[in-house]
Structures are given as structure tokens and as C-alpha cells.
Amino acid sequence: MVAQQTGRYSKYIRPISITIDILVITILSLYFFRDLNLNMVYYIAYQTLAWIFIAFLLKFYEVYRFTTPVEIISKIFKQFSLFILVVIAFFPFAKTVIFSGKAIAIMTTISFVIIAGIKYFLFFYLKKYRITTKNNFRNAIIIGYTPEAIRLKEVFDNRQDYGYRFQGYFSDKKQNPEVKGRVDDIKNFVIDQKIDEIYCSLNEISNEKLKELVEFSDENNKTIKFIPDTKEIFSKNMRIDYYELFPV
């Protein structure tokens, strides 16, 4: 389960990005389609709703700190491929308008370049910002002290641009200086240390405690993710993200 973003400014990034993208396609449409005899009020409303619907369908704005540049460009290509078709589809239903493939091509191409540029700028700027200022970080803990849990901790340490501060392991099965306590100690630790994300090894925790922890995370707006150290998790209806090559 993923709670809402917990950073001070992170929650504003997506609305700002959506607003900028819609402004870009609106302004360019008003300019390049000005001679096509369109009712611009109806068209802009149609275009805006179509853009938002396609973005929702393709999860266009679901870009996270661990998203790869290849995934971003793939999202952009898919978004614009459908968007172009939607723009073209408007013209046959408006009998008085003038269809111009050239105007559509220019508008969508320039929109693509500007929106792709802005998206990549924000993505790499935030990575640089985290490394340089040590801000926009998320505090994370891991339940379990398994080989997979240790590998995930190494990803946090090696990829400073992801923006995670590892605060320790919790385990009922292992004891060492890196293990901060038992599973029952997690709730107080999460509140006291302002932990943002909990990564959980399913081999480490009973179903009853897991359910209790999920409810606690929901109530306190925390993110809980699972470490697939058992084949069973891949058979469940869960989304899998990759931190480098590590599945979560």
C-alpha cells in the first residue's frame, strides 16, 4: 500500500506538472489552430479532458524517485500517441472546421518537445537537489534481516539520488547492532523518528501482525511496501516497482 507523498513539497509536484502540461497544449492549440474555424472553447475543453483521461489511463504522472529515464520517455511516447489520435478524431465531428494535418503535427511535436523537456528537467533537478542539499529525503525502515533486506539497504546507500535515509532493521528472528528492535517496537519508532516508508519481509511477520501494521500505516499516512523474498508474493495482485534491478 502506498500512502500519499509525505515530503513538504512533493505533494505539489504532480498538480504543478499537470497544470504546466495543460497550459502548454492549450496555448499551442490556440496559436496553431487559430485559422481552422474551431470553436476554441469547446475544443480546448475536449482536449483538456482527453489529455487528463489518457494520462489517468496510462498513469502518465506516476513518476517516482526510483523511476528510470527509459520509463519516462516510454510514458511520454504513449501519452502523445493516443493524444494525437484524439485530436484528429475531433475534426470529423465538426463539419465547419478546416482539417490541417500540418497544424496538428506542428502543435503536437512542439508540445512533445516542451513537455518532455520539462519532465526530464524536474526529474533530474530533484535528483540533484536531494544529493546537493540532503533535503526531500524519506526515512525508511526494513522489517526483517534477510539477504533481500540487506540488498535493499545497499540500494538505499548506493543510490543517494533516490532520496532514502535508512533508519534500521526490525526483526523477531535476528539480533545485531543494525536491528533496532522487534516488530512490536515499530509503531512507536515510526512515530518518534518520523518514518515515511516501511519495507516488510513477508517471511518475518505473521498475517495478523501484517494486517495490524497495514491499518497503522493507513491511519498515520505512512507507506508500506513488501520485499519479495518469497515466490508467493509474485502470485498476488500487487504492483511491482524496481529500485535499479531490485523488485519491491
Side-chain angles (χ1 to χ4, degrees), residues 6 8 18 52 55 79 81 83-84 93 136 157 171 175 178 192 204-205:
T6 54
R8 285 188 302 166
I18 294 171
I52 293 172
Q79 177 77 13
S81 296
F83 180 65
I84 291 170
F93 295 100
N136 194 235
D157 291 342
S171 175
Q175 290 184 345
E178 290 189 286
D192 293 341
E204 186 75 23
I205 190 170

Side-chain angles (χ1 to χ4, degrees), residues 42-109:
Y42 289 134
Y43 174 75
I44 294 301
Y46 165 83
Q47 176 179 267
T48 301
L49 291 174
W51 178 271
I52 293 172
F53 176 76
I54 295 169
F56 174 79
L57 190 68
L58 298 179
K59 300 179 180 179
F60 181 62
Y61 292 103
E62 293 189 16
V63 175
Y64 307 101
R65 56 187 67 206
F66 50 82
T67 302
T68 65
V70 173
E71 289 179 275
I72 294 175
I73 197 64
S74 175
K75 285 176 180 284
I76 295 171
F77 270 111
K78 290 177 182 177
Q79 177 77 13
F80 272 92
S81 296
L82 287 181
F83 180 65
I84 291 170
L85 295 177
V86 168
V87 170
I88 294 173
F90 180 85
F91 287 84
F93 295 100
K95 297 180 180 179
T96 60
V97 305
I98 303 168
F99 178 81
S100 173
K102 180 180 179 181
I104 294 173
I106 294 173
M107 188 279 285
T108 53
T109 300

Side-chain angles (χ1 to χ4, degrees), residues 103-159:
I104 294 173
I106 294 173
M107 188 279 285
T108 53
T109 300
I110 295 176
S111 298
F112 177 92
V113 172
I114 293 174
I115 289 173
I118 292 171
K119 213 170 187 66
Y120 269 94
F121 171 78
L122 286 174
F123 181 73
F124 288 108
Y125 171 78
L126 286 172
K127 283 182 175 291
K128 186 69 174 178
Y129 174 79
R130 293 184 197 111
I131 295 173
T132 304
T133 67
K134 304 301 181 182
N135 289 325
N136 194 235
F137 272 67
R138 293 185 184 179
N139 294 320
I141 61 170
I142 298 176
I143 300 174
Y145 194 78
T146 63
E148 290 78 9
I150 294 171
R151 282 180 55 209
L152 178 59
K153 189 256 186 183
E154 290 173 352
V155 172
F156 292 157
D157 291 342
N158 294 334
R159 292 300 303 267

